[in-house]
Amino acid sequence: MKKKWLSASMLLLALTLVLSACGGSKNSSDNGSTAAGGESASGGSGDKVTIKMMHLWPDGSNSAQNKLVKQIIGEYEQANPNVKIETEVLENEQYKNKLKVLSASNSLPDVGFTWAAGFLEPYVKGNMFAPLDDLLQGDLKDKFVAGTTEAYAVDGKTYALPVELNIVPVYYNKEIFAKYNLQPPKTYEEFKNIVKTLNDNKVTPIALGSKDAWTGSFWYMYLADRLGGPDVQDQAVASSTFSDPSLIQAAKEAQDLVKSNAFVKGFNGLSNDEAKSEFMNEKAAMYAMGTWEVPNYTTNPDIPQEFKDKIGFFKFPTIEGGKGNINDWVGGVGVGMFVSENSKVKEDAKKFVNFFVKRWGELSVVDAGIIPGTKVDTSSVKLPQMFIDVLNELNNASKVILYLDVQMKPGAAEEHYNLIQALLGNAITPEEFAKKQEEALKAGK
Amino acid sequence: MDKVMSNKKIIALYVLPSLLLIMAIIYIPIVLTGYYGLMKWDGVSSMSFIGMENYASLMKDDAFWNSVYHSFLFAVLSTVSLAVYMIVALILAGNIKGAGLLRKIYLIPMLLSSVAIAQLWLKIYHPTNGILNSFLVSLGVEDPPAWLSDPKLVLYALFIPILWQYAGFYILIYYAALKNIPASLIEAARIDGANPWQIALRIKLPLVSEVVKVTIVLAVVGSLKYFDLIYVMTDGGPNGASEVMASYMYQKAFRGFDFGYGSAIGFFLLIICMVATWAIRKATASKDTIQYS
């Protein structure tokens, strides 16, 4: 009896080992075959290739981009029947987090999207992204708006290709403005008066969700630019000194805005989406956000036309005595497409990226209302007025100041988020704000 | 069958697979975390050895100690709230009408996923449209607090849903323990003239004291490593006002790209949890176990 049990359990264990061994060998042979498939496919044969792609436009919140991605993938798969593109979609914040988690375990998707400069750098240093300069020399040559691909370059090599270019206007609700006889402001004094008038009439002046602290950073950046001029922030990050008086003055102005009840109640605990819904439900009169929101005010079929008609935008007003120009914009390239350095199907992935970026440039403004990193011929496309206005503003822009958090290294950017929340929550003084930001920049993380 | 199970080799054989799994996914990572804590590592590029530097800066990191303070405050609050759960369980176990239904109602939050609870409470706490503030306004409060953005309130505003989430779990444990007390003991006490208060305090509580000890450990360790609701609802903000140890670790490692530092925090958290468990066991140890007979 005993022997029987013993042998039975031995058999079971042996079986487990055999099975797991099978699993292991199956995996490795799979990998082998896809790798081989990749090579042979680039050589022109028809072996099956699967490219894994991750993007950040869920159907619910970014339906236009989501559809466009699907369409381009569809076109590519039709033209290349041997290629299958698998997508995984995550919302912005979750996407950022997952990308980090995946890279830590060395399992990035073959193709995905990354932000520029500070965000990209650790990935490049960690050998996670493949250089894409060969694509820039191919049929994508001279297709990009000048200065856009540079934001993804590290040590002279370009590691991602931009698909978005955004600036941050202040959107406003024309109906609310008309009701209280307000005009879009040209000077900061006018702007403060608008805030006061709206508050007197119990209308929330500005929707802000600085639980996502980068949205609060926009306001600080504009104040810093209008006070200290277009280069003061770039220089601060480049030289790791945050002591320019205009940077401290901007922090003070930001706190004054908070004290004048300019922002929606509880803004530090609201997410950007929650703040956005205040604006979309016409409970707040103004909202500063990237031009990725423009489709919601023009083309997005899910939003009622009468709301869209009410929305306009203005440039952040100039401050008397400040060095900033009204045509300085906070903004920059948004996400760009990368190819994973460790991808088993790198060449196929690159080909796909080449196709995707080109096709995206042709379609994105018209179909999805996204300003691509590639040049748009405004004369040949039919666009809603707000888009033409934005594209014209972009043409007239004297400078686009790259988002502070994108400019900084991740550690410093994280501290920037905390400091912006503390600043707007009146938890620290402007001087402390500048001092701590400088310390974070100096830490070099 | 009994013979087989007494064979040491067979026992080892059966234990081995799960032992390997636990080693692979729990103990080895713990050792690795301790190792990463000695490294300067951004999580992506290659690491370099820096010895105790991470721990040294951890000791000087005000933001970290702030999060430690929050975690311990929470641990104390959860332990204190156990008393409330015990009272509820005593009442439920006292054969009141509808005890079964109430028990199920208390348990429901436990069955919801953390993210669902977080979304629910985000709606409740919304500064202008939330149920709570709408209610306060209807009572005539002029300027109800913005619960999740006021640095003084946010921590307590978060503790409430977390306590609510786990209340059912502890009530259920206490309820089961109380139901396990033989009815004859209670009857005997009653015949001797004990009132319900005395029965609860002198008979029931001592008999379930072992269970209470276990729940104290569970509550303290669970609070110290708590993460989910805080991550979803405030992400430790504003400016670290609701940061706890686990969320701070996450922020440093995955947001700030400082995996070495994050690992050091994680390892420190593990040590704190072990010390806390040991201290509680020590403090609540009793020489004689109380028995039913």
Side-chain angles (χ1 to χ4, degrees):
Chain A
M1 189 63 186
K2 184 182 165 188
K3 219 170 182 182
K4 207 170 166 188
W5 271 101
L6 187 69
S7 54
S9 19
M10 285 309 284
L11 190 72
L12 204 68
L13 184 75
L15 214 63
T16 326
L17 288 176
V18 168
L19 277 176
S20 58
C22 273
S25 67
K26 187 164 169 275
N27 267 339
S28 56
S29 74
D30 253 9
N31 288 343
S33 73
T34 34
E39 279 154 28
S40 58
S42 47
S45 123
D47 273 5
K48 275 274 173 216
V49 178
T50 304
I51 300 175
K52 288 207 176 90
M53 170 176 176
M54 235 168 84
H55 70 77
L56 62 164
W57 298 299
D59 201 11
S61 54
N62 300 80
S63 56
Q65 288 99 319
N66 188 289
K67 272 180 208 142
L68 192 56
V69 172
K70 278 187 193 146
Q71 185 191 338
I72 296 175
I73 289 176
E75 284 176 16
Y76 191 76
E77 284 180 340
Q78 211 157 32
N80 302 276
N82 62 320
V83 179
K84 183 154 173 34
I85 319 261
E86 278 176 10
T87 49
E88 187 184 349
V89 192
L90 290 155
E91 174 275 331
N92 196 314
E93 284 304 310
Q94 291 165 2
Y95 179 90
K96 274 186 196 169
N97 292 340
K98 178 142 190 192
L99 208 59
K100 281 170 206 176
V101 175
L102 286 180
S103 74
S105 62
N106 210 353
S107 47
L108 283 178
D110 300 313
V111 174
F113 293 88
T114 172
W115 287 261
F119 184 90
L120 173 99
E121 207 181 291
Y123 291 93
V124 172
K125 293 264 154 74
N127 241 351
M128 291 289 162
F129 294 165
L132 299 175
D133 295 282
D134 44 341
L135 295 184
L136 283 175
Q137 296 311 317
D139 59 351
L140 283 175
K141 199 173 175 174
D142 296 330
K143 290 272 187 205
F144 288 97
V145 176
T148 51
T149 54
E150 279 83 343
Y152 303 95
V154 179
D155 299 333
K157 282 186 186 163
T158 310
Y159 289 90
L161 302 179
V163 296
E164 282 180 327
L165 179 60
N166 284 295
I167 48 178
V168 180
V170 182
Y171 306 100
Y172 69 104
N173 189 312
K174 290 179 194 163
E175 195 180 62
I176 299 178
F177 268 48
K179 196 170 166 193
Y180 303 109
N181 258 330
L182 300 168
Q183 296 296 325
K186 289 273 183 292
T187 67
Y188 195 59
E189 283 308 311
E190 287 175 29
F191 178 74
K192 283 202 268 197
N193 277 332
I194 292 173
V195 169
K196 189 169 176 301
T197 312
L198 290 170
N199 267 325
D200 289 346
N201 290 291
K202 300 224 176 326
V203 177
T204 307
I206 301 164
L208 171 69
S210 57
K211 182 174 128 189
D212 299 321
W214 49 271
T215 61
S217 180
F218 292 162
W219 290 92
Y220 174 75
M221 284 189 69
Y222 266 125
L223 288 166
D225 170 79
R226 297 301 189 251
L227 284 166
D231 297 322
V232 65
Q233 296 174 82
D234 296 6
Q235 279 165 6
V237 175
S239 65
S240 293
T241 48
F242 222 76
S243 51
D244 192 290
S246 60
L247 293 172
I248 298 169
Q249 182 61 23
K252 198 180 153 295
E253 291 289 344
Q255 286 193 327
D256 286 348
L257 263 189
V258 173
K259 280 177 199 141
S260 68
N261 281 327
F263 301 111
V264 62
K265 186 182 166 68
F267 56 88
N268 253 350
L270 295 179
S271 69
N272 179 41
D273 280 342
E274 284 171 307
K276 181 172 150 185
S277 75
E278 297 281 311
F279 183 69
M280 302 292 276
N281 292 324
E282 304 183 52
K283 285 185 183 155
M286 291 177 274
Y287 179 52
M289 195 40 61
T291 38
W292 56 79
E293 286 294 332
V294 172
N296 283 336
Y297 315 132
T298 51
T299 48
N300 187 343
D302 302 333
I303 289 164
Q305 189 58 40
E306 67 247 49
F307 173 76
K308 292 179 192 162
D309 293 339
K310 286 179 199 163
I311 305 304
F313 73 86
F314 60 82
K315 305 180 218 182
F316 196 92
T318 47
I319 299 177
E320 205 176 324
K323 296 182 205 150
N325 183 311
I326 193 141
N327 283 322
D328 296 340
W329 293 91
V330 168
V333 285
V335 293
M337 252 183 141
F338 71 82
V339 171
S340 164
E341 174 72 15
N342 299 316
S343 167
K344 299 272 191 312
V345 288
K346 202 149 108 192
E347 287 312 312
D348 295 271
K350 277 187 180 177
K351 270 190 189 167
F352 172 63
V353 166
N354 193 37
F355 177 84
F356 189 98
V357 172
K358 213 166 96 188
R359 198 71 188 118
W360 180 273
E362 289 160 9
L363 295 171
S364 70
V365 189
V366 181
D367 286 9
I370 296 143
I371 304 159
T374 37
K375 290 173 187 162
V376 181
D377 182 6
T378 37
S379 58
S380 70
V381 290
K382 203 168 161 290
L383 283 169
Q385 191 55 41
M386 195 188 247
F387 265 113
I388 299 195
D389 292 345
V390 167
L391 287 170
N392 286 340
E393 291 297 347
L394 210 54
N395 292 338
N396 294 331
S398 52
K399 164 146 186 178
V400 176
I401 307 150
L402 187 61
Y403 315 110
L404 266 183
D405 53 338
V406 180
Q407 286 192 36
M408 293 176 191
K409 288 189 176 159
E414 203 50 48
E415 189 62 18
H416 178 64
Y417 293 151
N418 282 336
L419 288 172
I420 285 286
Q421 283 186 342
L423 181 74
L424 298 180
N426 275 324
I428 50 172
T429 64
E431 288 76 19
E432 284 169 339
F433 170 81
K435 189 169 152 273
K436 288 195 172 167
Q437 187 63 71
E438 180 165 318
E439 280 167 13
L441 285 169
K442 284 220 160 81
K445 280 180 186 164
Chain B
M1 190 67 194
D2 281 348
K3 251 186 190 167
V4 184
M5 282 313 180
S6 60
N7 184 330
K8 291 250 165 59
K9 280 180 198 153
I10 297 288
I11 293 174
L13 196 68
Y14 277 123
V15 167
L16 197 65
S18 43
L19 186 71
L20 284 178
L21 263 180
I22 289 177
M23 288 297 285
I25 62 180
I26 296 184
Y27 290 104
I28 293 176
I30 286 178
V31 174
L32 282 178
T33 305
Y35 170 71
Y36 293 149
L38 305 173
M39 298 287 166
K40 181 178 160 57
W41 186 33
D42 62 13
V44 185
S45 52
S46 60
M47 22 180 156
S48 59
F49 184 80
I50 52 167
M52 298 301 283
E53 204 175 290
N54 280 329
Y55 291 94
S57 39
L58 194 60
M59 294 301 126
K60 284 181 288 184
D61 186 347
D62 290 341
F64 171 69
W65 289 109
N66 200 25
S67 74
V68 173
Y69 167 68
H70 293 159
S71 288
F72 272 92
L73 185 65
F74 180 42
V76 169
L77 278 177
S78 351
T79 313
V80 171
S81 64
L82 288 178
V84 180
Y85 306 151
M86 179 56 93
I87 294 169
V88 175
L90 279 168
I91 296 170
L92 282 184
N95 282 329
I96 59 158
K97 259 192 187 158
L101 180 69
L102 283 173
R103 210 178 67 224
K104 289 185 187 84
I105 290 173
Y106 288 133
L107 197 65
I108 285 174
M110 182 76 198
L111 304 177
L112 296 174
S113 85
S114 291
V115 177
I117 292 176
Q119 292 298 336
L120 177 72
W121 283 84
L122 277 176
K123 300 283 176 294
I124 292 176
Y125 282 139
H126 192 285
T128 47
N129 314 328
I131 301 168
L132 184 57
N133 277 3
S134 304
F135 178 67
L136 287 177
V137 168
S138 75
L139 285 184
V141 179
E142 287 257 319
D143 190 23
W147 300 98
L148 294 179
S149 63
D150 187 332
K152 290 187 208 71
L153 289 175
V154 60
L155 202 58
Y156 302 97
L158 281 173
F159 287 164
I160 290 168
I162 303 172
L163 293 178
W164 175 78
Q165 180 182 16
Y166 286 105
F169 173 68
Y170 292 111
I171 290 173
L172 191 75
I173 291 181
Y174 287 154
Y175 177 83
L178 289 169
K179 277 287 174 192
N180 225 3
I181 298 171
S184 55
L185 287 179
I186 313 289
E187 244 164 69
R190 209 170 278 150
I191 290 166
D192 287 343
N195 61 32
W197 180 248
Q198 284 171 319
I199 292 179
L201 213 61
R202 300 283 165 98
I203 313 251
K204 289 182 173 171
L205 275 186
L207 284 173
V208 297
S209 64
E210 284 303 313
V211 175
V212 173
K213 285 177 200 168
V214 171
T215 54
I216 290 175
V217 172
L218 281 180
V220 169
V221 173
S223 315
L224 289 180
K225 65 188 178 83
Y226 196 78
F227 176 73
D228 350 1
L229 281 196
I230 289 173
Y231 171 68
V232 181
M233 287 178 71
T234 64
D235 211 356
N239 186 32
S242 61
E243 203 86 83
V244 291
M245 281 189 278
S247 67
Y248 190 64
M249 166 181 81
Y250 184 84
Q251 198 209 60
K252 281 290 166 194
F254 291 97
R255 296 269 166 76
F257 267 118
D258 198 341
F259 275 79
Y261 198 61
S263 300
I265 299 172
F267 202 69
F268 198 78
L269 174 58
L270 174 81
I271 291 170
I272 288 180
C273 283
M274 290 201 309
V275 170
T277 311
W278 175 81
I280 294 165
R281 299 303 295 183
K282 194 90 180 164
T284 58
S286 54
K287 282 179 199 113
D288 40 21
T289 36
I290 298 136
Q291 280 170 349
Y292 290 136
S293 51

